Amino acid sequence: MIKETEIKPILQAQELAIGYADKIVAEEISVEINAAELVAVIGINGSGKSTLLKTLTGNLDPLSGKVSIQQKSLKDITVQELSELISIVLTETHFSQNLSVEELVALGRQPYTNWLGQLSSEDKKAVQQALQLLELTDKSQRKCGSLSDGQLQKVFLARAIAQETSLIFLDEPTTHLDLYHKIFVLKLLKELTRKTQKAIVFATHEINLALQLCDQIILVNQGKIIQKTPEELINSNLLQELFPKDLVEFDAASKSFRVL
Amino acid sequence: MQKSSLYLLSGLLLLLILLMLNISLGSVTIPLKDILASFFNAEVEKETWRYIILDYRLPKAITAVLVGSGLALSGLLMQTLFRNPLAGPYVLGLSSGASLGVAIVILGGAVFGGVFSTLFLSKFTLVIAASLGSVLVLLAVLATSFRVKDTMALLIIGLMFASLTSAVVSVLSYFSPSESLQKYIFWSFGSLGNLAWQEVFILAIFWLAGVIISIFCIKNLNALLLGEKYAKSLGTNLKQNRILVILGTGLLAGSITAFAGPIAFIGLAVPHLVRQVITKSNHLVLFPAVALGGAILMLICDSIAQLPGSNLTLPINAITSLIGAPVVIWLLVRKKKLYF
């Protein structure tokens, strides 16, 4: 895909080794994420997707190598500074259902508010813009406990938008959603990258959808982490080797997995 | 925001009315004009009335306000910190921790004797021992809370700590002389009325310290409504915040328990009662509302404990349980879910 705008790198990782003290998950990783890109992280269960995301978001130190965000090493960035660079959307459901949609989105402004967390007029404007962008304005006073999973996903996305970071990380944003809403959320993510110039990175099991919608794919498989465009990935042999060959195979012609 | 300030204002008004009502109730009937006269140092029909108002009823009413607001606030802090709607200083064993501190001071002094007893006599040591007891139990509950994710398991752990501390108290009381045992039993009934001005002053200092520390947690508590991972991504220093919340609640629950005895249900019930009126989750709004709500409920409980028109004063702990337990059961059996 040819991009109309100039490529602006936001996150770079070189010669990265990730894992825990007693176990290396993957080595020799290089990843580059640019502005206005939608990037999917795919891989089988337990392959190390979440270890990679934890490392890239600064929640886990790399074993070696370095991650830099906007030319600054992640190691030198404090928790406060990081909150203005990266926002996250998790699968976690243990949050206060008593929060109204507007209150939850407004929490995204915390990095910018004073010590009591009071919203300035600028903060309020950012919250309203985020609500508008995700078409939530008419639901702003609803309690989060009364929303469906799909709507809730939009609310958390609006919160991440309101945080005004150049990077948004999402952990499996399409779980618990039906096919229609899966496509709805992923198309929405793509639209957001175009509208806001933010880079959005998400872990997913929806490989078929990711191949159709994303600009870049990061494939995590058997200790190797490879970043490619969907076209490069389809033309390579990598997807054929992703799963054991007894049940499923990748068909390059239709760009999708097929049950054998 | 304007709606919330209207609620706060009417709450404040209600508090003042209840404060006057509370002061005018008691075994001796004193006309309203004499009550006001004793405040403004004017002529009072009987000089004993002035004494009753200024040295008994007023400190008692102020204690009720401090105790109610402090316990309700520590309940709110606990519910958000543990993200558990059923958390509170009593159910999590904070009050039991404070009781242990007090028991060690009152009973331990007699058991160990000598230097120990003279060292532990002053009121300040009682408060500090109780606060320490609360903080220790809170730390223990927090340490175990990292291992259990279950809402109910946390409460059962709180209960276990409560029975653990009461077992230690039983052992202590077994070896204590009857005189100090009686003193401890009376303390454990809970009372707002036995405080001299000096003690009210000490309580107020601890209350103020706890409240100020908690105010610094407001922003982080809001972030914690989303869970710790989100809070961290919003720039919250989780460790520092945890320490501040523990210190704040420990000071509030500890000092209150030291002076007024273990008082149940205020900390658990008031935040939920307030959430029925105020629909916001922002702690900036909830914080003053919960403090006001706690003070109001405590004044009501204390007025009931007076048994208007009689010479009897019931133990305050019994009244808060009689009112609080049904309220909590009602909140739980309603179809609506209980939020934190």
Side-chain angles (χ1 to χ4, degrees), chain A residues 87-153:
Chain A
S87 55
I88 56 170
V89 178
L90 304 169
T91 43
E92 191 153 339
T93 50
H94 195 63
F95 63 95
S96 171
Q97 313 273 321
N98 194 36
L99 284 161
S100 71
V101 170
E102 193 176 5
E103 276 183 308
L104 197 150
V105 175
L107 284 176
R109 298 301 298 170
Q110 279 224 341
Y112 311 100
T113 56
N114 64 5
W115 67 282
L116 278 173
Q118 287 167 309
L119 298 174
S120 67
S121 56
E122 200 182 316
D123 293 323
K124 283 177 188 157
K125 215 172 97 191
V127 171
Q128 291 310 323
Q129 274 172 355
L131 286 170
Q132 261 165 30
L133 198 60
L134 290 167
E135 290 160 9
L136 289 165
T137 313
D138 57 324
K139 295 192 183 68
S140 67
Q141 297 311 316
R142 288 266 298 273
K143 292 279 175 205
C144 288
S146 70
L147 299 178
S148 70
D149 286 344
Q151 289 170 327
L152 213 52
Q153 196 61 253

Side-chain angles (χ1 to χ4, degrees), chain B residues 20-81:
Chain B
M20 276 314 289
L21 187 74
N22 187 275
I23 289 171
S24 62
L25 286 174
S27 51
V28 182
T29 318
I30 303 173
L32 191 66
K33 85 170 167 47
D34 290 287
I35 292 173
L36 291 172
S38 40
F39 281 147
F40 298 111
N41 221 3
E43 191 87 355
V44 181
E45 210 181 303
K46 284 186 197 158
E47 211 35 50
T48 48
W49 286 358
R50 189 200 298 278
Y51 175 79
I52 289 173
I53 294 292
L54 290 185
D55 282 331
Y56 181 72
R57 290 190 190 171
L58 189 59
K60 185 165 70 75
I62 289 172
T63 308
V65 169
L66 293 178
V67 166
S69 55
L71 285 176
L73 280 179
S74 59
L76 177 68
L77 293 175
M78 291 294 87
Q79 287 170 9
T80 307
L81 183 69

Side-chain angles (χ1 to χ4, degrees), chain B:
Chain B
M1 207 60 183
Q2 277 165 346
K3 204 173 159 196
S4 312
S5 4
L6 193 72
Y7 279 132
L8 285 185
L9 218 64
S10 36
L12 214 58
L13 201 69
L14 185 63
L15 180 74
L16 282 176
I17 294 169
L18 282 169
L19 205 61
M20 276 314 289
L21 187 74
N22 187 275
I23 289 171
S24 62
L25 286 174
S27 51
V28 182
T29 318
I30 303 173
L32 191 66
K33 85 170 167 47
D34 290 287
I35 292 173
L36 291 172
S38 40
F39 281 147
F40 298 111
N41 221 3
E43 191 87 355
V44 181
E45 210 181 303
K46 284 186 197 158
E47 211 35 50
T48 48
W49 286 358
R50 189 200 298 278
Y51 175 79
I52 289 173
I53 294 292
L54 290 185
D55 282 331
Y56 181 72
R57 290 190 190 171
L58 189 59
K60 185 165 70 75
I62 289 172
T63 308
V65 169
L66 293 178
V67 166
S69 55
L71 285 176
L73 280 179
S74 59
L76 177 68
L77 293 175
M78 291 294 87
Q79 287 170 9
T80 307
L81 183 69
F82 289 104
R83 283 179 300 293
N84 187 333
L86 291 176
Y90 196 81
V91 273
L92 287 185
L94 266 78
S95 305
S96 327
S99 303
L100 181 64
V102 170
I104 288 173
V105 172
I106 297 181
L107 304 174
V111 175
F112 300 111
V115 191
F116 223 58
S117 61
T118 48
L119 201 73
F120 276 152
L121 271 179
S122 88
K123 279 281 174 190
F124 253 114
T125 41
L126 200 69
V127 191
I128 289 165
S131 298
L132 268 177
S134 303
V135 168
L136 282 179
V137 169
L138 194 48
L139 281 173
V141 172
L142 195 71
T144 49
S145 79
F146 287 119
R147 294 174 175 269
V148 292
K149 285 272 172 273
D150 190 2
T151 312
M152 289 304 148
L154 183 73
L155 300 181
I156 291 170
I157 285 170
L159 254 157
M160 290 303 115
F161 277 113
S163 66
L164 210 67
T165 50
S166 71
V168 178
V169 172
S170 307
V171 172
L172 274 174
S173 47
Y174 186 76
F175 291 107
S176 314
S178 57
E179 190 193 329
S180 18
L181 191 60
Q182 199 183 24
K183 213 167 134 191
Y184 177 77
I185 300 282
F186 269 116
W187 170 84
S188 70
F189 282 151
S191 160
L192 302 172
N194 295 329
L195 272 64
W197 273 115
Q198 194 203 358
E199 289 161 324
V200 176
F201 191 63
I202 296 174
L203 176 60
I205 290 172
F206 275 79
W207 181 90
L208 201 65
V211 168
I212 288 172
I213 290 171
S214 315
I215 287 173
F216 279 97
C217 301
I218 285 179
K219 180 175 175 177
N220 292 339
L221 287 171
N222 284 334
L224 273 179
L225 288 173
L226 294 177
E228 293 198 333
K229 283 182 191 155
Y230 276 115
K232 194 184 169 199
S233 86
L234 286 166
T236 304
N237 185 337
L238 291 175
K239 245 186 216 156
Q240 184 197 316
N241 181 59
R242 226 175 271 144
I243 292 169
L244 282 179
V245 172
I246 289 173
L247 205 64
T249 29
L251 283 174
L252 285 171
S255 62
I256 287 166
T257 311
F259 282 119
I263 291 174
F265 291 108
I266 297 287
L268 171 56
V270 170
H272 291 297
L273 290 173
V274 167
R275 284 191 193 103
Q276 307 297 312
V277 185
I278 289 177
T279 50
K280 294 223 184 240
S281 292
N282 188 346
H283 286 76
L284 203 56
V285 181
L286 276 182
F287 203 82
V290 165
L292 261 176
I296 288 170
L297 190 62
M298 203 64 203
L299 280 173
I300 294 173
C301 287
D302 184 54
S303 305
I304 296 171
Q306 309 268 17
L307 279 186
S310 94
N311 283 328
L312 276 170
T313 310
L314 296 173
I316 189 71
N317 192 0
I319 304 295
T320 59
S321 297
L322 278 174
I323 294 176
V327 166
V328 172
I329 292 170
W330 170 68
L331 285 168
L332 277 172
V333 296
R334 269 182 335 160
K335 283 233 171 69
K336 271 168 98 179
K337 238 185 115 195
L338 212 55
Y339 298 126
F340 53 85

Side-chain angles (χ1 to χ4, degrees), chain A residues 153 157 173-174 177 181-189:
Chain A
Q153 196 61 253
L157 248 174
T174 53
L177 298 181
H181 285 96
K182 272 178 185 160
I183 298 172
F184 175 82
V185 167
L186 294 187
K187 284 204 88 150
L188 185 69
L189 292 179

